[in-house]
Amino acid sequence: MRAKGHGSRMRPSPIRRRLLAGLVALCAMVACSGQPDASRSVTVFAAASLTRVLPALALAFARTHTDVRIDPVFAGSQILRMQIEHGAPADVFLSAHARHVEDLAAAGRTTRQGPFATNELVIAVPADAPIADLDDLAFGATIVMGTEAVPVGMAARTFLARLEATEDRGLAEALRRAVVSYEPDVRLVAAKVARKEVDAGFVYATNVAADPHLRALPLPDHLRVPTVLHAAIVAGPGAPRPDAASFFDFLLSDEAAEVLADYGFGPPPPP
């Protein structure tokens, strides 16, 4: 089963060069004016798949909000949602799946929410592994995937169900039997594959694009599983935080879309 792959490598773009120039300017401003006041910070709970891009988004945001600091906290979306449910002081929540934002919204824990980017599930293998396609994973391979609650694990289970229904039930069962580990976030899945602790893992296209030690197996179009990332402003005990709203609005801007695209993320689906 061979088809065109989608684990392309990232190439430098003008937005990254502009962000680097912005970093120099921002450092100069901080040196002159000191660190921003702690009261002007936005705590962003972000899915692990955003680990590389969120600092770039924060830098782009700082160009027009020089007195606001973005404080990121990274983990699996399901872990972050539970922390917010138990009162963790988050201002903005960036989830790799709509379900976790919807659960918070249903409990009255968000004031605004919506999609801001897309990604895609892929099956990653070590870049130099002699594995050409899914069939090569059916006999004796070891696979790692996310837990049932983590978005990348949810997407992997969607893929396996789709494979079973439309392609090859025996292959789907073989891949399920090959799973030797379930991880709480996508970073841990990608790291195990890159270190060759396993033969393959279910990750996102952005993980493969960011790591030269990984490549994605080709998949036919009907088996591809796109994913949608959602943002939410977290409802706190006090008055609404205007800086949180400003960062939320920035995530929906064309400037943020450029930064996200530079790291391999696609635009949100049309309303």
Side-chain angles (χ1 to χ4, degrees):
M1 178 167 51
R2 298 178 186 275
K4 184 178 179 181
H6 43 256
S8 59
R9 303 292 177 204
M10 292 185 299
R11 291 174 290 183
S13 72
I15 187 67
R16 185 165 294 176
R17 291 193 291 271
R18 293 200 297 272
L19 288 174
L20 182 58
L23 177 59
V24 174
L26 181 60
C27 290
M29 285 187 289
V30 170
C32 294
S33 60
Q35 291 292 327
D37 190 293
S39 64
R40 299 298 306 277
S41 65
V42 177
T43 300
V44 179
F45 278 26
S49 56
L50 296 167
T51 301
R52 295 184 70 255
V53 69
L54 184 54
L57 289 168
L59 178 58
F61 177 73
R63 290 209 296 266
T64 53
H65 299 78
T66 57
D67 55 349
V68 180
R69 185 180 71 249
I70 301 299
D71 293 333
V73 177
F74 298 103
S77 299
Q78 79 288 359
I79 295 173
L80 297 172
R81 186 207 76 222
M82 289 188 292
Q83 290 177 344
I84 292 170
E85 288 172 338
H86 287 84
D91 296 311
V92 175
F93 175 39
L94 306 182
S95 174
H97 195 282
R99 172 180 144 188
H100 299 297
V101 167
E102 291 167 353
D103 287 349
L104 289 176
R109 298 303 305 274
T110 68
T111 59
R112 292 172 62 193
Q113 57 276 327
F116 71 96
T118 53
N119 209 337
E120 186 174 337
L121 182 79
V122 299
I123 300 177
V125 298
D128 58 355
I131 299 172
D133 54 32
L134 288 179
D135 292 327
D136 289 338
L137 298 176
F139 303 100
T142 55
I143 298 174
V144 62
M145 64 190 298
T147 62
E148 290 185 9
V150 69
V152 74
M154 297 162 69
R157 287 162 176 80
T158 297
F159 168 84
L160 290 172
R162 192 171 295 174
L163 176 66
E164 184 174 36
T166 65
E167 194 82 12
D168 187 330
R169 181 172 184 174
L171 178 57
E173 287 301 320
L175 295 180
R176 289 190 181 100
R177 289 194 299 269
V179 176
V180 296
S181 176
Y182 298 91
E183 302 299 331
D185 71 57
V186 70
R187 290 177 300 182
L188 298 176
V189 176
K192 285 195 169 187
V193 180
R195 293 195 300 262
K196 301 183 180 180
E197 295 178 18
V198 292
D199 296 308
F202 290 92
V203 299
Y204 294 121
T206 51
N207 296 109
V208 173
D211 192 337
H213 299 100
L214 300 176
R215 63 179 171 86
L217 293 182
L219 297 176
D221 288 343
H222 68 277
L223 290 179
R224 292 185 175 182
V225 181
T227 62
V228 181
L229 292 89
H230 285 250
I233 300 176
V234 180
R241 298 281 301 277
D243 292 330
S246 295
F247 186 67
F248 179 91
D249 290 337
F250 166 76
L251 290 172
L252 306 181
S253 70
D254 291 341
E255 184 178 7
E258 283 190 68
V259 177
L260 287 159
D262 198 44
Y263 284 80
F265 292 88

